[in-house]
Amino acid sequence: MFLRDLPMLFVLGGLVLYATLAGADFGAGFWQLFAGRGAKGAHVREHAHEAMAPVWEANHVWLIFVLTVFWTSYPTAFGSIASTLAVPLFIAGIGIIFRGAAYALRSATEVPREQRMIDTAFSLASILTPFALGTIAGAIADGRVPVGNAKGDQFTSWLNPVAITIGVLAVVFSSYLAAVFLAADAVRAGDEELARSFRLRALGAGLVAGAVAVVGLIVLHHDVHPLYHELVAGRGLPAVLVSLVFGVGTLALVVVRRFEWSRYTAAVAVAAIVAGWALAQEPRLLPGLTVQQAAAGHDTLVAVVVAVIGGGLLLFPSLALLFSLTLRGHVGHIGPAPEGVAAVPPPHGPLDVLRPASAGLLARAAVACFVVGLGFLTAADAAWAHVIGVLALFAFIAIGFRAALLLPAADEAATSADPPPTP
Amino acid sequence: MSAVLGAALGPVQQHYLDEARQMQALSFAVHIPLVCFGVAFPLMVLVAEWLNLRTGDGLYRTLARRWTRIMVALFAIGVITGTILSFELGLLWPNFTATFGNVFGLGFAIEGFSFFMEAIFIGIYVYGWERMPPRWHFVSGIPIVITGFTGSMMVIAVNGWMNHPGGYRMVNGKAVDVHPWKALFGNSFFWHELVHMYIAAFIVAGFCVAATYAFGRLRGNWGRYERTAIAIPLTLAVIAAPAQLLVGDWAAREVATKQPVKLAAIEGLGKTTKSAPEHLLGWYDKKDGKVKYGIEIPYLLSLLSFHNPTATVKGLDSVPPDDRPGPVNVVRFAFQTMVGIGSLLAVLAVFTLWVRWRRRRLPITPWFYRGLVLAGPLSIVALIAGWITTEVGRQPWIVYGVMRTNAAVTGAGGVPVGYGILALVYLGVACAVVWILRRLARAPLDAHADSLPTAPVA
């Protein structure tokens, strides 16, 4: 039944977007650690931070999307995975705390030494998190997560050759994506030297990523032969080939400095890897549990599909807005600001809220709303009366706020007419 | 209703159930105050920006920009603490998620989208100062306010469902015949929780922000900027605080009819009683099933719960001992703390509004500002006390009357280790937040007004 597979497609799609977008975000942290010393290193770190700061929260949410769709649509599988793989999941969580805290902290730093410390914590967390998440994917692919509450081994389930290789691959691939994205951003900022240095990083990381991918196949060959077989000879093969072509193609585009295009080919390469994994493992989700068996009931799945499509209709235009505003320089710090946007609009004169007459009217309206709220919410017992009561109270808050807001006039001296407090 | 013993993933042995619950409670206690800022702060920033657009007065713009820096820092911390909560649904309570994910999960899926929109428009708003046409910049802030509401609505819909489950049938430990929309939004229990929490967000964020400027005033920091900066959050908080009394009373009546055992724990009512009295303070004695040393007000509990002084109020003895919340006094004191602080805040609010109305100015007495400095932290205490009331009062159930908390917990080892690490990390995060806020407050008024919220290049 297609409906039972559809949420899994959403999950995989979310995974691709998370791996691509947040991957670049993690990789930016990786490059901050290996930016080198001195002014040049600081410049690289600054660029890596500034390119990601406006978009990291939006990128991060893909993980939340994956989790929520997964546990709604395949609850038993989610419970099994989260309990057996509690340790790497927890490590990823701690890494995410450090990364988010570092973004918040960096906005308040004043001296380079503080910034350096925060950047280092950020970088270490940026390496730890994709590694931990990669081992989770590896453990699932490896068939190490049995159905049940923490039925699998807490440590060997993810600390095994396959899972560790996938974890390392996640880190290397993130760095590769980040270098490609940051090179494109450097070109946009008109910084040739920075673009050159990220180009070299992209080429290096791309070659390492290819090498780790080959190692991964060898490890798979030894450890989970059926998956390996499906990947190199079965259903996964076309996807693997697509990934190979786009991976090599991305490197070629980086060589010829077509960074903007290389963003998209790199994303396709990631998508192909995820698709290859899914095709090779399908229909098995966990050992003894297929996607079809794990799926929730009909109404839940329909609700998820409706929510995802409805949410997507709002989300993608907004996301497009964010990225296009970022690329055009309306959002962020990269490149010159668009002209003629910073003008302050002409003043409209004094505010209505300051006029005593209307304030008095508003105050009376607010009190009336409060009395209505009291009557319908507190005195009455019917549900419909409570609806009216709650609406009246919200009206009281809105009108009352406007009536009671007391703003000091612009012509008042900087020191107050109120007597200063006794020291 | 038959209770689930095994649930979807089978029975479980966990020696550290209490630690798992404390870890979850810690994560909530850290996250919920940040949610208040996520919900209410964008509105305050937008008010300041709107005033700037309306009057052309640069002071409002400076205010909006400085607040934006605080807003984005708190939002970032809220993002990560919220992510930890979603991880913990799987890490700590896999059996709950495995058994009922198909019922309540939809709420979080929609919340995910809501949060997504919030993150997108926060990105646009925060990094669009100076680079977008002013009007469009203002407009880009409006979705943040809306998604702050819808996000909290989704999460509270799930909590409402846990307190008053429906929309499915239990067959052999599995939830079947699931109607997720009906379960989450056709639930009569969640509306009062939502309204109560939403207004609490304005009270907490309002009093906390006002408290910082009140503190500044006590140290002689009282220019036009500071008086404008205190006016917006203070007005919001003092308007919301009296409304919250009515909403809280409504919430208590909903609990009285739909969760009588929770109400019994809140009031320390051991035996089902006609014309039940209300007890202020005192200590609930489990042996006697009575409140000792409390101030007794006859008929009041019946009157408040059912609008009838002789109504019968169900006591803890209406269910078997295993189905009663264990720490009755924790629930009682949490509730009384919330109500006590809420009432004090309402008194402070009425005083402020009275001075505003009679004298057309802010109060002058330093005692008002001293009280305001206390009101900030107290409002957070009341918020957390309120959540303790509803969550501990729901025990021993994770899904009220259906699944016990000890059947939902993970079978994985190392819960105390995770708890310890998370506690340490959150301690560090708390220090970091204090450090950030002090730094941002210390920046001179004109210095960062026009620089973007990032540090200067080293």
Side-chain angles (χ1 to χ4, degrees):
Chain A
M1 210 168 81
F2 180 60
L3 182 64
R4 290 184 186 158
D5 290 327
L6 194 54
M8 187 50 79
L9 293 181
F10 294 148
V11 167
L12 292 171
L15 207 57
V16 168
L17 287 163
Y18 182 68
T20 314
L21 297 167
D25 193 5
F26 290 128
F30 180 89
W31 293 123
Q32 285 192 331
L33 193 63
F34 298 101
R37 294 190 164 276
K40 215 170 154 183
H43 188 46
V44 168
R45 284 198 299 277
E46 196 60 29
H47 179 68
H49 172 77
E50 290 200 343
M52 294 305 162
V55 290
W56 78 271
E57 276 148 345
N59 291 344
H60 168 77
V61 189
W62 286 112
L63 179 64
I64 308 293
F65 171 82
V66 168
L67 290 180
T68 54
V69 173
F70 199 98
W71 80 44
T72 311
S73 309
Y74 310 99
T76 348
F78 180 83
S80 308
I81 292 169
S83 53
T84 290
L85 298 176
V87 178
L89 196 58
F90 185 71
I91 292 173
I94 296 294
I96 287 168
I97 296 181
F98 272 95
R99 282 170 45 82
Y103 270 114
L105 277 167
R106 212 173 188 278
S107 71
T109 52
E110 282 164 2
V111 291
R113 193 179 55 83
E114 291 171 357
Q115 239 178 52
R116 191 68 207 266
M117 259 170 58
I118 291 165
D119 282 349
T120 305
F122 176 77
S123 301
L124 292 175
S126 297
I127 294 169
L128 200 61
T129 309
F131 175 76
L133 293 173
T135 60
I136 291 174
I140 297 168
D142 204 6
R144 302 277 190 145
V145 184
V147 176
N149 190 342
K151 284 283 156 57
D153 191 285
Q154 294 272 286
F155 291 97
T156 58
S157 56
W158 61 285
L159 285 176
N160 59 62
V162 174
I164 289 175
T165 313
I166 309 268
V168 172
L169 189 64
V171 175
V172 177
F173 219 90
S174 299
S175 326
Y176 170 57
L177 283 171
V180 170
F181 281 34
L182 289 171
D185 283 331
V187 170
R188 207 154 47 75
D191 192 333
E192 264 310 306
E193 198 196 324
L194 205 56
R196 243 197 323 277
S197 88
F198 275 111
R199 175 171 170 267
L200 279 179
R201 288 183 164 90
L203 290 175
L207 291 176
V208 175
V212 176
V214 171
V215 171
L217 279 180
I218 296 170
V219 174
L220 263 185
H221 176 67
H222 284 283
D223 218 63
V224 234
H225 200 72
L227 193 68
Y228 168 81
H229 187 74
E230 288 292 341
L231 273 177
V232 298
R235 278 169 299 184
L237 182 62
V240 171
L241 291 178
V242 169
S243 176
L244 190 69
V245 169
F246 276 82
V248 174
T250 308
L251 274 181
L253 285 169
V254 171
V255 170
V256 300
R257 294 166 193 278
R258 291 295 177 91
F259 300 119
E260 207 57 51
W261 281 100
S262 62
R263 282 178 195 250
Y264 304 106
T265 52
V268 174
V270 175
I273 290 180
V274 173
W277 169 31
L279 288 170
Q281 191 172 325
E282 196 253 346
R284 179 176 64 85
L285 181 52
L286 299 179
L289 186 75
T290 64
V291 173
Q292 295 273 329
Q293 290 163 344
H298 175 268
D299 280 22
T300 302
L301 296 179
V302 169
V304 167
V305 172
V306 168
V308 169
I309 291 174
L313 286 178
L314 280 174
L315 177 69
F316 282 102
S318 311
L319 213 50
L321 184 70
L322 173 67
F323 286 127
S324 78
L325 286 175
T326 308
L327 291 177
R328 276 189 286 146
H330 282 289
V331 167
H333 326 280
I334 290 177
E339 278 176 26
V341 294
V344 177
H348 293 258
L351 285 160
D352 294 343
V353 275
L354 296 176
R355 283 187 206 145
S358 70
L361 198 66
L362 282 173
R364 264 172 257 157
V367 170
C369 286
F370 190 84
V371 172
V372 170
L374 186 71
F376 281 88
L377 190 64
T378 308
D381 279 327
W384 61 266
H386 291 165
V387 174
I388 297 177
V390 167
L391 291 178
L393 282 183
F394 277 118
F396 160 73
I397 291 175
I399 300 171
F401 176 74
R402 188 126 193 253
L405 185 62
L406 184 71
L407 297 167
D411 50 13
E412 267 182 67
T415 47
S416 156
D418 297 354
T422 45
Chain B
M1 271 185 294
S2 64
V4 187
L5 292 175
L9 296 182
V12 63
Q13 280 293 315
Q14 176 59 266
H15 296 296
Y16 297 107
L17 174 66
D18 284 346
E19 281 78 2
R21 284 180 53 200
Q22 286 165 21
M23 187 171 165
Q24 186 72 53
L26 169 76
S27 312
F28 273 122
V30 170
H31 183 62
I32 294 172
L34 292 162
V35 170
C36 293
F37 285 92
V39 164
F41 216 157
L43 194 72
M44 293 194 261
V45 174
L46 281 186
V47 167
E49 192 182 10
W50 179 79
L51 288 167
N52 168 250
L53 290 179
R54 194 79 179 72
T55 63
D57 188 334
L59 181 128
Y60 298 122
R61 188 175 168 83
T62 308
L63 183 61
R65 300 215 45 181
R66 286 174 65 92
W67 278 356
T68 300
R69 290 166 61 98
I70 298 169
M71 177 177 84
V72 73
L74 292 178
F75 184 74
I77 305 291
V79 168
I80 56 179
T81 54
T83 304
I84 293 305
L85 285 178
S86 70
F87 276 30
E88 281 173 346
L89 274 175
L91 283 177
L92 296 176
W93 318 105
N95 241 353
F96 167 59
T97 319
T99 314
F100 294 109
N102 53 350
V103 187
F104 72 79
L106 178 71
F108 284 113
I110 301 175
E111 194 271 339
F113 276 104
S114 176
F115 172 40
F116 219 137
M117 302 288 286
E118 196 172 357
I120 289 171
F121 283 96
I122 283 245
I124 293 177
Y125 186 84
V126 170
Y127 293 90
W129 278 108
E130 295 298 325
R131 287 177 171 239
M132 279 166 73
R135 265 161 226 278
W136 286 110
H137 183 259
F138 175 78
V139 169
S140 76
I142 294 172
I144 307 174
V145 177
I146 297 171
T147 50
F149 175 75
T150 51
S152 48
M153 176 168 164
M154 291 307 137
V155 174
I156 288 171
V158 175
N159 187 269
W161 176 82
M162 288 164 72
N163 275 293
H164 190 241
Y168 68 95
R169 282 189 305 122
M170 260 350 249
V171 174
N172 298 331
K174 286 198 161 185
V176 297
D177 203 6
V178 177
H179 302 285
W181 299 108
K182 190 180 148 207
L184 291 173
F185 307 110
N187 179 5
S188 58
F189 195 72
F190 103 94
W191 295 103
H192 72 265
E193 281 195 46
L194 172 65
V195 176
H196 201 41
M197 175 64 199
Y198 194 62
I199 294 181
F202 288 111
I203 294 174
V204 168
F207 276 121
C208 285
V209 176
T212 59
Y213 293 102
F215 186 70
R217 187 193 143 111
L218 292 172
R219 296 163 133 204
N221 229 343
W222 198 239
R224 183 174 164 242
Y225 175 84
E226 284 80 13
R227 277 177 295 140
T228 312
I230 203 172
I232 296 171
L234 181 65
T235 310
L236 198 60
V238 299
I239 290 287
Q244 187 74 310
L245 290 186
L246 304 189
V247 173
D249 167 63
W250 170 44
R253 276 182 286 135
E254 292 286 309
V255 171
T257 44
K258 295 190 173 104
Q259 287 186 326
V261 181
K262 187 188 275 184
L263 184 84
I266 285 171
E267 302 294 350
L269 193 66
K271 295 184 180 64
T272 302
T273 314
K274 194 172 183 298
S275 307
E278 171 99 20
H279 290 93
L280 298 181
L281 303 176
W283 181 260
Y284 175 77
D285 189 333
K286 232 175 194 170
K287 266 185 258 160
D288 297 355
K290 278 185 183 144
V291 174
K292 288 186 170 167
Y293 318 116
I295 306 160
E296 185 175 316
I297 306 170
Y299 300 109
L300 188 63
L301 180 56
S302 290
L303 185 67
L304 283 176
S305 307
F306 299 103
H307 282 170
N308 174 2
T310 56
T312 302
V313 182
K314 277 191 187 168
L316 289 165
D317 65 352
S318 61
V319 290
D322 275 359
D323 293 355
R324 300 172 194 164
V328 171
N329 277 309
V330 171
V331 182
R332 269 197 90 227
F333 277 106
F335 180 76
Q336 301 210 354
T337 304
M338 173 186 72
V339 173
I341 293 175
S343 307
L344 284 178
L345 294 179
V347 169
L348 191 70
V350 170
F351 172 73
T352 313
L353 288 171
W354 192 77
V355 172
R356 163 75 182 87
W357 179 52
R358 300 297 296 191
R359 307 273 169 81
R360 304 199 178 282
R361 59 164 169 74
L362 292 171
I364 292 173
T365 162
W367 285 105
F368 172 77
Y369 293 93
R370 282 173 200 145
L372 207 50
V373 169
L374 282 179
L378 281 180
S379 67
I380 294 182
V381 172
L383 176 82
I384 291 172
W387 278 105
I388 290 175
T389 305
T390 194
E391 296 303 279
V392 179
R394 193 189 61 227
Q395 301 301 327
W397 307 103
I398 188 166
V399 181
Y400 194 65
V402 180
M403 182 188 235
R404 286 173 194 275
T405 311
N406 62 16
V409 73
T410 180
V415 172
V417 178
Y419 179 28
I421 294 174
L422 190 76
L424 278 178
V425 169
Y426 273 176
L427 191 68
V429 168
C431 294
V433 169
V434 171
W435 184 81
I436 295 169
L437 295 180
R438 285 178 60 99
R439 262 292 162 79
L440 292 179
R442 220 177 53 191
L445 273 191
D446 48 348
H448 287 288
D450 282 329
S451 74
L452 288 152
T454 177
V457 179

